[in-house]
Amino acid sequence: TGRQLKVDSWAKGSSTSGFVTRIVQKDGSDCHVGGKSLWTARDAKRGITGRLREWLACAGASLDADPRIFLEQSDTVGLAPHLRTMGFSLQLLVDYRTSGDDVEGLLQVNVVPGWTVRKKADLVQLSDRFDNQAVLRERTAMGVAVSLKAVGAFPRFDALKALHLFVDCIVLLFLPLYLMQIIILFCMGDNSKIYRCARALKVDIYRE
């Protein structure tokens, strides 16, 4: 738990002073990692760094926690008694939100228990004392798999879409007029014939 876990922020290298990353718990309250819960673009220039136990605390967990409390009852078969003895996935979800010219990223941490196994094999060459024999050494370790997912949307003005919206509104405003003309000219029997004749009649005021 003393090792540092680093998360590269979207604001890394950004000159936007209004970009901040807020680390929150599941209930929306602030969670402190690296001594603070609010990281500005300048603070996160080299990534957001904190101890593993701090990230786990934001998810309401610890290395000694029972993995069964994070899963459904039907998925608890074959699990170890503690997270530290089986490994797990640490999922970081960042939800970007805009407020005027400022951008805020809400970072939430989730723990997903699962056997995270890493095996390593080394071929060790012994000295002449052992007739230059080779020994195969295998090591199995449980660890933490970190994943990052970003969601959210940044609204912006689109001139082409605005033009399409304006044209569609004009068309919809004239639609009742066209519909009424069709009803009057073709759907009212003899009265429609009179209206059609009156509409087709050409009047020249200079000849009358």
Side-chain angles (χ1 to χ4, degrees):
T1 57
R3 292 185 176 274
Q4 296 284 337
L5 180 61
K6 177 182 177 182
V7 177
D8 287 335
S9 173
W10 179 86
K12 183 177 179 180
S14 175
S15 59
T16 306
S17 59
F19 188 98
V20 295
T21 301
R22 185 184 301 275
I23 306 174
V24 297
Q25 299 182 5
K26 293 183 178 181
D27 59 359
S29 59
D30 292 344
C31 184
H32 290 74
V33 172
K36 51 190 172 183
S37 63
L38 188 65
W39 290 72
T40 63
R42 178 176 297 180
D43 297 334
K45 186 176 182 180
R46 297 185 177 179
I48 301 176
T49 305
R51 298 186 181 276
L52 178 58
R53 62 168 173 263
E54 294 176 329
W55 291 103
L56 287 175
C58 293
S62 67
L63 289 177
D64 295 321
D66 188 347
R68 294 172 180 82
I69 64 177
F70 301 99
L71 298 173
E72 299 291 340
Q73 190 66 29
S74 58
D75 299 331
T76 58
V77 180
L79 298 181
H82 306 97
L83 288 176
R84 69 167 68 245
T85 55
M86 65 176 296
F88 55 91
S89 296
L90 195 66
Q91 298 179 349
L92 306 177
L93 177 63
V94 186
D95 185 5
Y96 293 110
R97 302 178 182 181
T98 58
S99 177
D101 295 332
D102 297 333
V103 180
E104 183 182 47
L106 298 180
L107 195 156
Q108 191 177 47
V109 186
N110 296 320
V111 170
V112 180
W115 290 98
T116 310
V117 182
R118 181 179 181 182
K119 295 184 178 182
K120 185 177 182 181
D122 297 321
L123 188 62
V124 181
Q125 188 72 33
L126 300 180
S127 61
D128 296 340
R129 182 180 177 184
F130 298 95
D131 298 330
N132 293 325
Q133 294 181 358
V135 178
L136 181 63
R137 182 178 63 179
E138 295 183 352
R139 290 178 292 179
T140 302
M142 309 299 177
V144 181
V146 182
S147 62
L148 176 64
K149 181 180 180 181
V151 298
F154 294 88
R156 63 182 179 87
F157 178 75
D158 192 329
L160 184 59
K161 289 185 177 180
L163 179 61
H164 287 171
L165 179 62
F166 177 76
V167 173
D168 293 341
C169 291
I170 296 298
V171 173
L172 291 176
L173 288 176
F174 280 95
L175 186 60
L177 177 61
Y178 296 146
L179 183 61
M180 185 61 65
Q181 289 180 356
I182 293 175
I183 294 176
I184 293 176
L185 294 176
F186 302 100
C187 302
M188 297 180 62
D190 294 336
N191 291 330
S192 295
K193 294 180 180 180
I194 298 174
Y195 293 141
R196 288 199 301 272
C197 293
R199 187 179 183 185
L201 180 64
K202 295 182 179 180
V203 178
D204 190 348
I205 59 176
Y206 296 103
R207 293 183 178 180
E208 295 295 333

